[in-house]
Amino acid sequence: MSASAVFILDVKGKVRLGVFCEYFKELEEESIRDNFVIVYELLDELMDFGFPQTTDSKILQEYITQQGNKLETGKSRVPPTVTNAVSWRSEGIKYKKNEVFIDVIESVNLLVNANGSVLLSEIVGTIKLKVFLSGMPELRLGLNDRVLFELTGRSKNKSVELEDVKFHQCVRLSRFDNDRTISFIPPDGDFELMSYRLSTQVKPLIWIESVIEKFSHSRVEIMVKAKGQFKKQSVANGVEISVPVPSDADSPRFKTSVGSAKYVPEKNVVIWSIKSFPGGKEYLMRAHFGLPSVEKEEEEGRPPIGVKFEIPYFTVSGIQVRYMKIIEKSGYQALPWVRYITQSGDYQLRTS
C-alpha cells in the first residue's frame, strides 16, 4: 500500500499544518526532508489507527522536545566545498605536526589443486593514506612502476607491472596518463589512494601438506605439515589453518609442534592457530577423531584447506614507494611513513 498525500485534520475536519510550522518554520518539501524523524514522531502522536488524537502544538511540544532544522528562505548559501576546485578537502586545516602514513597492503589469492599445481594465483593491492597535513598541500608519490621505468630509460629489473589500476578522485588522471606521475591534493585523514592487481605466478607463501587416514567404523587420523616459503627474515603473524573434518566426527584429540588446535563442530573444521610463523620453518599438527559405527555417506568432495596470515614489512610483488614529495606554499617540512603488509586473501589448498 502507498499514499500519494497525507492530510492532518483535527476532530472538526480542519487541516492542521501549523503543528509542523511550529517545529520547522516553513512547510516545504526540503524542510520535510530535513526533519523526517520529527515528522515521523509527530504523525505517531497526531494519529492513532488513522484517527486524529492530540493536534494541539503546545501539548505535542511537551512530548516531542527535539528542535527541528528551520529552513532559512532567501539565505541559501552554497557550501565552500561545492564551489571549491578541491571538493574533497576543506580549507584552513592546521596541524602542529605534519605527517603522512602510507600503508601498502597486498592480499594473495591462491588456489592449489590436490596434486600441488597452482590453479589460480593473483595479488590484489591497495595503497591507503592517513594524512595529517596543514593547508592545501600537493603530494607526489613515486613507485617502482615498470611503465614509468621504461619511459625514463631505467632498468626494469626491480620494477612492477601494475594492472587494473584505480585511483581516488583526487589523483590527476591526465598527468598519470601522460607521464605516470601520481600527483594529488589529498583529503584529510584516512582514504584509499589507489588499488591495483597483478596476475602473476606466486609461490605459495605458506605451503600445506596433509595426509588423511580413515579407518572404517572406527576413527580418522589427520596429519598436517605447514612450511613457511617466504624469506627467513620475515615472520607471518596470526596464522590460522582451517582443516576440514568429516561432519560425523567426534572425540577430538590434537598434538601440535607449535601453536594450538581446536575443533569447531558447527563448521566441521579444525583450526590450527600459530601466533608467530618465521620464514623457512616447518611445523606439524596431528588430529585424531572418533567415527560412529554407522558412517554417514559423504555427499560432496572434501572442502579445501584454508589459510589466513599477515606478514608485515613484506610485499610479495616487490612494489616499493620510492618517494613521497609534499609541496605546500608555507614551505613546512612533513614526514612520510611507509608500512608494507602482505596478507592472505582467498587462499585455499585442495586435498586428495
Side-chain angles (χ1 to χ4, degrees):
M1 181 185 288
S2 64
S4 58
V6 177
F7 295 95
I8 310 298
L9 308 176
D10 62 12
V11 289
K12 295 181 181 179
K14 293 182 180 179
V15 178
R16 302 287 294 185
L17 298 176
V19 173
F20 296 104
C21 294
E22 288 285 335
Y23 277 86
F24 35 87
K25 198 173 179 180
E26 298 287 338
L27 187 62
E28 293 184 14
E29 182 181 348
E30 187 180 346
S31 58
I32 291 172
R33 215 186 268 122
D34 290 344
N35 295 278
F36 172 77
V37 175
I38 295 176
V39 170
Y40 186 87
E41 290 178 357
L42 282 169
L43 290 173
D44 193 43
E45 293 294 336
L46 283 163
M47 295 185 296
D48 196 7
F49 294 100
F51 295 96
Q53 298 297 313
T54 306
T55 58
D56 191 298
S57 61
K58 290 183 180 177
I59 295 173
L60 286 165
Q61 283 172 356
E62 292 179 14
Y63 294 103
I64 302 169
T65 57
Q66 187 177 346
Q67 292 293 317
N69 294 318
K70 295 185 178 180
L71 184 66
E72 297 290 335
T73 55
K75 295 181 182 178
S76 59
R77 185 172 62 87
V78 180
T81 51
V82 175
T83 55
N84 188 0
V86 186
S87 61
W88 52 87
R89 185 178 180 89
S90 302
E91 293 182 2
I93 296 170
K94 290 185 180 179
Y95 287 101
K96 288 183 179 179
K97 191 176 183 181
N98 292 288
E99 294 179 305
V100 180
F101 297 89
I102 307 166
D103 280 350
V104 181
I105 303 167
E106 292 190 338
S107 298
V108 179
N109 296 330
L110 186 80
L111 179 62
V112 178
N113 69 10
N115 299 323
S117 300
V118 176
L119 302 178
L120 170 71
S121 173
E122 138 182 289
I123 301 165
V124 178
T126 57
I127 297 181
K128 296 181 179 181
L129 268 62
K130 190 176 285 188
V131 177
F132 303 108
L133 295 174
S134 305
M136 199 68 70
E138 179 169 332
L139 276 59
R140 290 176 193 163
L141 177 68
L143 304 172
N144 56 335
D145 176 13
R146 183 164 297 172
V147 177
L148 174 64
F149 279 29
E150 287 174 351
L151 286 171
T152 55
R154 291 190 183 93
S155 170
K156 295 188 291 182
N157 290 343
K158 293 186 178 180
S159 63
V160 175
E161 188 172 355
L162 304 175
E163 303 169 24
D164 294 342
V165 180
K166 296 185 179 74
F167 288 111
H168 186 274
Q169 62 172 329
C170 66
V171 176
R172 294 184 177 92
L173 294 180
S174 57
R175 183 153 186 194
F176 180 78
D177 291 339
N178 185 43
D179 61 10
R180 304 293 283 192
T181 299
I182 303 171
S183 175
F184 57 99
I185 295 173
D188 189 43
D190 297 353
F191 74 102
E192 184 177 300
L193 176 68
M194 62 179 286
S195 64
Y196 59 90
R197 184 178 60 84
L198 286 89
S199 296
T200 181
Q201 194 74 5
V202 179
K203 183 181 180 181
L205 297 172
I206 295 181
W207 182 253
I208 304 294
E209 292 179 12
S210 65
V211 177
I212 300 171
E213 288 187 275
K214 205 169 183 180
F215 300 89
S216 183
H217 312 302
S218 173
R219 69 189 191 278
V220 61
E221 294 183 1
I222 302 169
M223 188 275 288
V224 177
K225 183 167 72 173
K227 182 179 180 180
Q229 297 194 140
F230 46 94
K231 58 185 182 182
K232 293 181 180 179
Q233 305 96 299
S234 296
V235 176
N237 297 324
V239 177
E240 284 190 359
I241 301 167
S242 299
V243 183
V245 298
S247 57
D248 51 356
D250 58 24
S251 308
R253 288 184 294 119
F254 307 109
K255 187 177 181 180
T256 61
S257 59
V258 70
S260 61
K262 68 174 181 179
Y263 176 43
V264 185
E266 60 270 22
K267 294 182 179 179
N268 298 320
V269 296
V270 171
I271 297 179
W272 179 17
S273 301
I274 303 170
K275 189 176 179 181
S276 181
F277 196 137
K281 293 287 185 180
E282 279 188 14
Y283 298 118
L284 203 65
M285 187 270 290
R286 293 181 184 274
H288 300 259
F289 286 89
L291 292 173
S293 55
V294 179
E295 287 190 46
K296 183 180 178 182
E297 288 188 16
E298 296 291 335
E299 296 176 1
E300 300 177 359
R302 189 176 289 120
I305 292 173
V307 185
K308 291 182 181 178
F309 58 85
E310 186 175 282
I311 308 173
Y313 318 113
F314 174 78
T315 58
V316 68
S317 70
I319 193 170
Q320 290 179 348
V321 174
R322 293 171 45 240
Y323 62 82
M324 168 66 86
K325 292 180 181 177
I326 301 163
I327 305 158
E328 213 278 331
K329 62 183 179 182
S330 64
Y332 61 69
Q333 295 295 312
L335 294 171
W337 304 91
V338 185
R339 180 173 63 169
Y340 299 97
I341 300 170
T342 292
Q343 61 189 19
S344 56
D346 188 9
Y347 194 105
Q348 298 182 340
L349 300 97
R350 292 175 179 169
T351 57
S352 55

